[in-house]
Amino acid sequence: MQPCPEDNRSFFEKLQNEKGLDLRDNRGKRHDLAVVLIGVMLALLSNRDGNLSSIYRYLKNHYEPLVRVLGVEKKRPVSRSQLPNILGSVSVTVFDRLLFENYGLKLNAEEQKWFAIDGKELRGSIETGCKRGEAIVQAVSHEDLQVAAQDYYSGEKESEVPTVRQLLQDNGLASQKISFDALHCKVATLEIITQEDGIYLVGLKDNQKELKKKIGWAMENQSCLMTIKTQEKGHGRIETRIYQFYDVLELEKDERWKDCQIKTAIKVKRERIELKTNKSSVEESFYLTNEVGNYEELAQAVRQHWQVETNNQIRDVSLKEDKMRSKKRGYSAQWVV
């Protein structure tokens, strides 16, 4: 990721001077918030898990070289008991903006790229007796797995759907090529993208029964435009995928779908054979897009949407996100950097 060219200040300087980042009362401040934040980020990137004690040990052990490199006065390092209070007094919105302005991807509407958007619940934030916890939504590049944007919501009080819509509008993503799972096959979401001349690829399941029924009818009563077959061998199995593309632009749909400009439907048949047991399985899935043609690219986009899940797994292993716990609501999702 490239630093922001419009501002050559270091990220540390921006943390020091950003208004609204530090929500602590000015009375009795003893620790430089920017130093603490840099230390926490380094701890997470050094494969420390989300456990505060682990992060604290990293801060304590690396405090002297850290302040020397940052060129600040050496003071008493933050204590284990103070660390959660300090981190809980950081504006997540401001910190996120700084993070993505400084290190985030620069989106160019003229050169569209594929991004997969999906949500993930941080299991470590689910308190005893509760079914939901804090959650994160990320937009991840198909090409290189870089996170272009992210946002948070409380699973107990909020939904992934409006969070994704806000993410599309606030980060220039609506003009890009976006892949979603079937949860986001909703008029209001797809209209955001079509209005910005973006391209969407969205799963179709029984949450849109009438639309799925009509798409199924079209697939049974017309010839497909193109068929693409791929085969992969790995993880102890052979997987064959057959992609079939159908023109549904003129298909009669409910009036509410008109501005979504649904043009192509895709049927994907997956056949898997386990090499060790020789067991086989077959499953079918359906997708909709406002794109016409570019069939090989669409097939690749369907295949690569799984990268969001892969990226979540990588982050779980390296940053131990699911182990992040806090009694303070919102704190666990706060430190997903």
Side-chain angles (χ1 to χ4, degrees), residues 190-247:
L190 303 185
E191 283 182 344
I192 293 173
I193 297 174
T194 56
Q195 289 169 2
E196 295 295 328
D197 297 323
I199 293 172
Y200 62 78
L201 174 70
V202 62
L204 176 64
K205 291 186 177 179
D206 288 338
N207 60 327
Q208 298 292 350
K209 290 184 179 180
E210 289 301 317
L211 181 60
K212 185 181 177 183
K213 183 178 179 180
K214 291 182 178 181
I215 295 295
W217 180 90
M219 290 179 171
E220 292 175 358
N221 290 277
Q222 69 180 58
S223 300
C224 67
L225 301 168
M226 170 74 75
T227 298
I228 297 175
K229 183 176 180 179
T230 65
Q231 189 173 79
E232 297 179 6
K233 182 178 180 180
H235 305 288
R237 65 173 180 257
I238 296 176
E239 182 169 292
T240 302
R241 291 174 177 244
I242 301 174
Y243 302 84
Q244 294 181 314
F245 299 84
Y246 296 85
D247 179 7

Side-chain angles (χ1 to χ4, degrees), residues 278-326:
N278 205 35
K279 290 184 178 180
S280 62
S281 62
V282 178
E283 64 179 24
E284 291 182 343
S285 56
F286 304 90
Y287 299 85
L288 302 175
T289 178
N290 59 339
E291 177 72 301
V292 175
N294 296 323
Y295 301 122
E296 292 186 358
E297 180 183 326
L298 288 170
Q300 183 71 4
V302 171
R303 182 72 180 98
Q304 290 187 318
H305 181 72
W306 66 268
Q307 287 186 101
V308 166
E309 297 299 329
T310 301
N311 185 66
N312 286 339
Q313 172 64 19
I314 292 172
R315 293 168 68 90
D316 282 344
V317 172
S318 60
L319 303 182
K320 308 296 188 297
E321 287 181 355
D322 282 340
K323 292 185 178 180
M324 296 179 71
R325 299 178 184 275
S326 173

Side-chain angles (χ1 to χ4, degrees), residues 46-84:
S46 298
N47 206 26
R48 295 282 177 160
D49 60 29
N51 183 282
L52 278 176
S53 294
S54 177
I55 294 174
Y56 164 70
R57 287 193 296 272
Y58 180 93
L59 293 176
K60 182 180 179 181
N61 295 334
H62 295 81
Y63 178 71
E64 289 192 15
L66 177 62
V67 296
R68 184 167 60 249
V69 169
L70 294 177
V72 297
E73 179 185 354
K74 178 183 175 182
K75 298 180 180 179
R76 188 174 181 177
V78 63
S79 69
R80 171 62 179 82
S81 61
Q82 292 171 321
L83 182 58

Side-chain angles (χ1 to χ4, degrees), residues 62-243:
H62 295 81
Y63 178 71
E64 289 192 15
L66 177 62
V67 296
R68 184 167 60 249
V69 169
L70 294 177
V72 297
E73 179 185 354
K74 178 183 175 182
K75 298 180 180 179
R76 188 174 181 177
V78 63
S79 69
R80 171 62 179 82
S81 61
Q82 292 171 321
L83 182 58
N85 293 329
I86 292 176
L87 295 182
S89 299
V90 176
S91 170
V92 179
T93 303
V94 175
F95 181 73
D96 247 11
R97 177 176 56 77
L98 286 172
L99 194 64
F100 281 97
E101 282 180 356
N102 202 69
Y103 298 110
L105 297 172
K106 301 299 179 182
L107 302 180
N108 185 346
E110 297 178 359
E111 184 181 357
Q112 293 176 317
K113 294 183 179 181
W114 279 103
F115 296 90
I117 296 184
D118 198 11
K120 168 184 179 293
E121 197 157 50
L122 303 175
R123 293 190 295 271
S125 69
I126 303 176
E127 297 181 346
T128 303
C130 297
K131 295 182 179 180
R132 304 295 303 275
E134 302 300 311
I136 181 172
V137 172
Q138 294 179 327
V140 180
S141 168
H142 281 204
E143 182 179 0
D144 52 22
L145 289 181
Q146 291 191 43
V147 178
Q150 67 183 25
D151 204 350
Y152 315 95
Y153 67 94
S154 170
E156 286 191 346
K157 305 174 183 177
E158 301 166 298
S159 165
E160 179 181 321
V161 173
T163 305
V164 165
R165 291 173 185 166
Q166 197 64 47
L167 197 72
L168 287 169
Q169 294 172 322
D170 291 347
N171 296 275
L173 287 164
S175 62
Q176 301 295 310
K177 300 178 180 179
I178 307 297
S179 62
F180 301 104
D181 58 30
L183 173 66
H184 301 286
C185 186
K186 300 181 183 296
V187 172
T189 302
L190 303 185
E191 283 182 344
I192 293 173
I193 297 174
T194 56
Q195 289 169 2
E196 295 295 328
D197 297 323
I199 293 172
Y200 62 78
L201 174 70
V202 62
L204 176 64
K205 291 186 177 179
D206 288 338
N207 60 327
Q208 298 292 350
K209 290 184 179 180
E210 289 301 317
L211 181 60
K212 185 181 177 183
K213 183 178 179 180
K214 291 182 178 181
I215 295 295
W217 180 90
M219 290 179 171
E220 292 175 358
N221 290 277
Q222 69 180 58
S223 300
C224 67
L225 301 168
M226 170 74 75
T227 298
I228 297 175
K229 183 176 180 179
T230 65
Q231 189 173 79
E232 297 179 6
K233 182 178 180 180
H235 305 288
R237 65 173 180 257
I238 296 176
E239 182 169 292
T240 302
R241 291 174 177 244
I242 301 174
Y243 302 84

